[in-house]
Amino acid sequence: MAAMVTRRKFISLTAAGAGAILVSPQLVFANVQTEHRFVFVIQRGAADGLSTVVPYGDPAYAGLRAELAIDAASAIKLDGLFALHPSLVETGRMYAAGQALFVHAVASPYRQRSHFDGQNVLESGGTAPYQLKDGWLNRLVTLLPKSRERAIALAPTVPLALRGRVEVASYAPSALPSAPDDLLMRVSQLYEHDAQLHPLWASAMQTQALAGDMRGRQDPAGLGKLAAKFLARPDGPRIAMIETGGWDTHDAQNPRLAARLKALDTMLAALRDQLGPVWGNTTVLVATEFGRTAAANGTSGTDHGTGAVAMLVGGAVKGGRVLGDWPGLGAGALYQNRDLKPTTALDALIAAAAAQSLRLDTGRVAHTLFPAADMRGAPRDLMRT
Amino acid sequence: MTNLSGMTAAAIAVNRFGLGARADEAAPARPKAWLLRQFDAYQATPAALASQPGSVALATDLGARRQQIRQSPAIDKPAARKALNQAMRGAYRAAVAARVENALNTPAPFVERLVYFWSNHLAVSADNPVVAGLAGSFETEAIRPHVLGRFEDMLLAVERHPAMQIFLNQTNSIGPDSMAARRAQALHPGRRFGLNENLGREIMELHTLGVRSGYTQADVTEFSRALTGWSIVRPQEAERTGRAPGTFVFRAPLHEPGARHVMGRTYDQAGEAQPLAILRDFAASPATARHLAEELARHFVADTPPPALVSRLTDTFLRSRGDLPAVYRTLVEAPEAWSPNPKKFKTPWEWTISSWRGLGFAHLGEMHAAPLLRQLGQPVWQPGSPAGYDDIAASWAAPDALVRRVEFARRLAARVGDRRDPRALGKTLLLGSLSASTATAVAHADTAATGLSLLLVSPDFLRR
């Protein structure tokens, strides 16, 4: 509680800037002793991998997507088969600089098409919804040496991936006038013997102290910047989670997805730019709960599918590559005759990326984060050595 | 929690089932009877809501504005579109303010809580300006009239309301072999006309049967085919058809012809009767009964609902053929619901309403409810997904969220100042269950405002 008296006024924000929980990005951090940074960006709502990393070279793509097909001429060419959505300008630059790689046709073990169950599997790390109660990112924190202040995390509420044994705090910019230190002190006393509220309040006060005079806005650039400011501090957190939403594009997909991808691109670029030299030690993993139907639906959108795309960006990443075993979109190649067939296990990919970026033993990470993951096909050389 | 004394029956009735005590209110002498009497006191359209525009008025206005933008060459189109979106956002904010005012003054807080429950169970999310504008009318027109009726009637009203039709992209879903699709395909060979599964899937997963209740992708697709033809009257066709803009319409040419096979049953009805028959079967299904029973028990009793209570609620639902008051009576009679241990952590909406009521606010004056609730983490009618807001403590009891509540409590208490004695108010609001530690902290506060702030964020008041 010693941190509490150092709390300062730190944030101002227009009321209009704070979006819905699932629409506006949020930050969660964990503080551990390592010089490496690992950031997990979740895309809630099943982001369309086929419009993100576009298989323009697949002969079936244009026909399946009809008017939704991304024009290869305007997209950013990655190789002879794939191109990046034109909104991902900065991510494309990272790819060109060898700092971004994409893995296509990935999926978690979940094979149904409920967002909420799909997100539960992705974040808990189990093989079925509600099988595990805590999140893989929280379990990852347990594998790292503890910092002086134990682990901390920041966001208005804590997403499942970071819920668990390690206590995490939460942080987001607030437009409400801050309360005076005297009141905060009295609240600390009031919660002293409350088993639920005491740890929550203690971590909130620690986080506020760490935030100091930082200001934050809930637009994508502001969030990237804010995350970077925390991650760049020598005494700051090393693990972060950012939530993004609005990926459930059942209609008017092209304009909506372009806006969401632009926001993601802006956020990633802000993170890169603000981290400065620390970017060289940073790995950002971007993943979604499942993909969307291979064919366009009847309303200029796509419905819930299976195979999706995952991204790894950061100065630590051995980028400039599109990984994965491309199953194709031709007749007979689709999963259940409708979705991109998954060929890479997302849980194995996440375990490999987390282990390699934080210099941990891959087998131990996999066992702790995703007990059922089959690591045999997991990529080995995701990071620069 | 270790620090809390047990809740009295009066406190449970007022705080767990109701919306929190009012500063000027006497404790109910017979808590159960007090709850059940509210079935008679409830008004579907109370004064606070009566002045709000309905979906027809909103759709008519929207249509007129859009037509003006299309047809006036002189108009500054971006500015006009911006004004249109602002009008929809304005309707949203006014509807939120009306909802709050009603929550502060209602004679039937238990039934109002049930309205919020159903509105969240069958959620639309005000993520775009049109759904935002219609969200208040959705609750008033589709939820409120049926909260003391049958589930099936509420379901049919909800799925056909323009807010839900637009939110889950139903209005343009076309049967792939329908007359309209064949005609359109001939006119525009490159374009694709067909299904949108969004409404069909969420009805099955969220509104009725529940996820993991055994349906397959094929069932979702079949049900979505059955729903084709469901749409709403567009403003530009209102005059020609004599129907009010925004009202539900069945467009037979869009409907996929033929029998549908859903969950082992065959539906060979023609036209509109087909999706209605399927929906009625969903509404009466044991899976639906269990799904709803679990959600109700989770809302009123515990994050992990007691299985015996869920069974009894399920039985009542099935036996009464979805008569909601019968289900509520089972809940009020349930010993599990009267556990003195407060197991529910208030959501931002619940906590804010109980705070306003507790400090004696009947009107908010110049305070704006919509942005405040956004700051507290729960913008009204905007859960961001059709699943609605979570109903468990893990989603709301978080470090940053607690700081927000302290900040808001202080701001609210400053408006009241020393016009309320926080020591006396603590006894009124907690109805005999104020803990000794909270009473001490409040009594030791340096000002009345600090005492009120502490009372509102006390462990006792954060839970119900």
Side-chain angles (χ1 to χ4, degrees):
Chain A
M1 281 285 101
M4 190 188 60
V5 290
T6 65
R7 180 190 185 274
R8 296 172 210 106
K9 267 179 77 168
F10 59 99
I11 287 300
S12 72
L13 175 77
T14 59
I21 287 176
L22 292 176
V23 173
S24 67
Q26 305 177 350
L27 301 167
V28 180
F29 297 100
N31 192 4
V32 287
Q33 275 186 353
T34 170
E35 281 318 301
H36 302 284
R37 272 78 167 168
F38 184 79
V39 181
F40 173 39
V41 177
I42 187 167
Q43 297 171 297
R44 294 193 190 279
D48 181 27
L50 293 177
S51 287
T52 305
V53 175
V54 181
Y56 74 93
D58 190 300
Y61 172 73
L64 277 171
R65 282 298 168 108
E67 86 267 28
L68 281 191
I70 302 296
D71 180 9
S74 66
I76 302 158
K77 293 270 168 54
L78 301 175
D79 59 25
L81 180 56
F82 296 110
L84 203 56
H85 190 283
S87 288
L88 292 169
V89 174
E90 293 295 330
T91 310
R93 290 199 176 122
M94 292 178 208
Y95 181 89
Q99 297 186 341
L101 70 80
F102 310 105
V103 191
H104 224 312
V106 297
S108 82
Y110 179 70
R111 285 291 174 277
Q112 307 303 309
R113 296 180 181 90
S114 154
H115 290 304
F116 320 107
D117 276 6
Q119 287 169 28
N120 185 276
V121 170
L122 169 60
E123 295 187 72
S124 66
T127 54
Y130 301 94
Q131 185 186 49
L132 299 179
K133 290 214 177 332
D134 56 355
W136 63 260
L137 201 52
N138 190 288
R139 296 196 294 277
L140 177 62
V141 176
T142 66
L143 297 179
L144 289 155
K146 281 179 188 128
S147 73
R148 276 173 294 113
E149 294 187 320
R150 270 186 71 82
I152 59 165
L154 322 174
T157 60
V158 180
L160 174 61
L162 248 167
R163 287 184 201 159
R165 191 154 59 81
V166 179
E167 280 166 17
V168 291
S170 63
Y171 179 91
S174 163
L176 293 164
S178 56
D181 290 347
D182 173 67
L183 178 57
L184 300 180
M185 183 82 82
R186 288 172 190 271
V187 173
S188 298
Q189 288 161 359
L190 188 59
Y191 294 168
E192 205 169 11
H193 299 291
D194 191 289
Q196 180 186 33
L197 299 175
H198 173 69
L200 297 177
W201 187 252
S203 55
M205 291 302 99
Q206 285 171 357
T207 307
Q208 305 258 322
L210 188 66
D213 289 327
M214 278 182 205
R215 288 173 173 273
R217 290 184 56 84
Q218 289 191 330
D219 58 49
L223 257 290
K225 219 173 189 174
L226 189 67
K229 281 186 182 168
F230 279 107
L231 286 164
R233 281 179 71 126
D235 60 345
R238 293 294 180 263
I239 289 183
M241 179 166 170
I242 299 177
E243 299 186 272
T244 65
W247 302 98
D248 193 20
T249 48
H250 285 276
D251 74 338
Q253 169 162 310
N254 280 0
R256 291 172 58 197
L257 193 64
R260 298 316 303 155
L261 288 171
K262 176 88 167 63
L264 177 66
D265 194 63
T266 304
M267 197 265 292
L268 293 173
L271 195 59
R272 174 195 63 195
D273 297 344
Q274 294 294 318
L275 275 175
V278 175
W279 180 249
N281 284 335
T282 300
T283 303
V284 183
L285 168 87
V286 183
T288 189
E289 70 262 26
F290 47 73
R292 309 193 69 81
T293 45
N297 68 10
T299 56
S300 303
T302 48
D303 292 324
H304 300 181
T306 308
V309 154
M311 306 184 194
L312 280 175
V313 301
V317 173
K318 195 169 151 192
R321 302 177 290 163
V322 182
L323 304 181
D325 177 8
W326 181 247
L329 298 172
L334 297 177
Y335 176 71
Q336 293 186 347
N337 201 27
R338 107 182 214 136
D339 305 336
L340 176 62
K341 184 183 284 173
T343 53
T344 298
L346 180 57
D347 50 8
L349 174 70
I350 294 174
Q356 291 172 34
S357 66
L358 295 166
R359 307 296 190 266
L360 299 168
D361 177 68
T362 302
R364 188 159 165 248
V365 169
H367 179 73
T368 307
L369 271 54
F370 304 99
D374 179 353
M375 296 300 290
R376 277 172 300 183
R380 293 174 189 281
D381 56 344
L382 295 169
M383 301 296 142
R384 294 173 192 284
T385 44
Chain B
M1 294 299 143
T2 47
N3 199 26
L4 294 176
S5 47
M7 288 173 85
T8 61
I12 290 167
V14 169
N15 293 316
R16 185 175 301 161
F17 285 97
L19 302 176
R22 273 197 299 242
D24 52 359
E25 205 170 55
R30 294 168 51 234
K32 279 187 194 176
W34 179 76
L35 292 173
L36 297 175
R37 252 200 332 266
Q38 295 179 23
F39 293 176
D40 302 321
Y42 169 77
Q43 295 171 284
T45 314
L49 303 183
S51 60
Q52 296 299 308
S55 55
V56 168
L58 289 163
T60 305
D61 180 47
L62 183 69
R65 284 165 179 270
R66 280 188 174 156
Q67 191 178 19
Q68 203 187 2
I69 294 171
R70 265 196 313 273
Q71 293 178 349
S72 315
I75 206 165
D76 177 354
K77 291 193 186 201
R81 278 195 205 98
K82 201 172 160 201
L84 186 155
N85 288 347
Q86 274 170 352
M88 289 287 125
R89 295 279 174 205
Y92 166 79
R93 282 191 296 271
V96 171
R99 191 196 212 217
V100 168
E101 182 162 324
N102 182 50
L104 301 184
N105 298 293
T106 176
F110 172 40
V111 189
E112 293 294 335
R113 175 179 282 284
L114 288 161
V115 168
Y116 313 144
F117 168 84
W118 289 113
S119 193
N120 191 56
H121 174 79
L122 301 157
V124 297
S125 185
D127 299 327
N128 74 55
V130 175
V131 178
L134 291 169
S137 73
F138 172 77
E139 187 169 286
T140 303
E141 295 165 4
I143 304 285
R144 297 191 66 91
H146 305 290
V147 66
L148 295 177
R150 296 181 61 229
F151 174 69
E152 178 188 302
D153 296 330
M154 187 190 287
L155 184 70
L156 292 179
V158 157
E159 310 304 357
R160 292 186 287 188
H161 193 275
M164 185 65 80
Q165 291 268 312
I166 294 168
F167 175 53
L168 293 181
N169 320 113
Q170 176 60 32
T171 55
N172 293 320
S173 183
I174 300 176
D177 289 321
S178 66
M179 208 197 301
R182 278 179 277 142
R183 210 181 302 143
Q185 212 71 60
L187 283 170
H188 311 275
R191 283 189 61 198
R192 194 178 293 269
F193 300 90
L195 282 187
N196 184 311
E197 289 179 0
N198 206 12
L199 180 67
R201 178 184 300 279
E202 304 304 13
I203 287 175
M204 296 176 81
E205 174 180 335
L206 300 172
H207 300 173
T208 61
L209 308 169
V211 73
R212 282 164 272 133
S213 57
Y215 59 83
T216 64
Q217 175 61 44
D219 292 319
V220 172
T221 306
E222 274 291 85
F223 178 45
S224 301
R225 286 189 185 124
L227 285 174
T228 52
W230 272 28
S231 189
I232 54 174
V233 175
R234 299 191 180 89
Q236 63 268 30
E237 56 183 6
E239 207 173 317
R240 178 165 50 81
T241 59
R243 289 169 179 262
T247 51
F248 178 78
V249 65
F250 180 75
R251 301 183 192 280
L254 270 59
H255 183 67
E256 178 76 353
R260 304 268 71 86
H261 306 282
V262 183
M263 304 199 67
R265 288 190 197 180
T266 297
Y267 297 88
D268 55 7
Q269 295 85 347
E272 200 179 355
Q274 188 180 59
L276 290 177
I278 302 173
L279 268 174
R280 288 203 177 94
D281 280 354
F282 286 170
S285 158
T288 298
R290 185 161 188 90
H291 181 203
L292 301 178
E294 256 176 30
E295 303 251 298
L296 267 168
R298 181 173 295 116
H299 182 75
F300 282 100
V301 178
D303 290 1
T304 306
L309 174 60
V310 173
S311 292
R312 297 203 304 281
L313 292 168
T314 307
D315 290 348
T316 306
F317 185 94
L318 291 171
R319 211 172 346 98
S320 70
R321 302 165 59 88
D323 178 56
L324 296 175
V327 179
Y328 308 151
R329 269 187 213 99
T330 300
L331 185 69
V332 170
E333 293 302 329
E336 295 94 329
W338 296 89
S339 152
N341 208 351
K343 296 216 176 89
K344 295 297 292 184
F345 189 87
K346 289 180 185 173
T347 64
W349 167 262
E350 292 165 356
W351 178 75
T352 310
I353 293 299
S354 61
S355 296
W356 274 323
R357 286 170 64 93
L359 293 184
F361 286 85
H363 306 283
L364 291 187
E366 77 277 21
M367 258 192 296
H368 298 294
L372 274 170
L373 284 154
R374 188 176 298 282
Q375 286 304 314
L376 290 165
Q378 194 182 23
V380 177
W381 300 310
Q382 200 179 350
S385 98
Y389 284 111
D390 251 3
D391 211 353
I392 56 171
S395 298
W396 302 113
D400 197 62
L402 281 178
V403 176
R404 304 277 179 105
R405 291 193 190 189
V406 172
E407 289 169 349
F408 176 71
R410 174 175 176 263
R411 181 175 157 175
L412 201 53
R415 299 171 71 98
V416 176
D418 58 6
R419 277 169 292 168
R420 300 263 176 208
D421 180 340
R423 291 163 299 185
L425 191 64
K427 291 178 189 155
T428 309
L429 302 191
L430 277 306
L431 298 122
S433 21
L434 182 68
S435 69
S437 56
T438 297
T440 306
V442 167
H444 289 175
D446 55 345
T447 63
T450 303
L452 291 173
S453 304
L454 290 170
L455 177 62
L456 297 182
V457 300
S458 67
D460 322 38
F461 197 77
L462 287 172
R463 302 194 178 101
R464 63 177 175 91

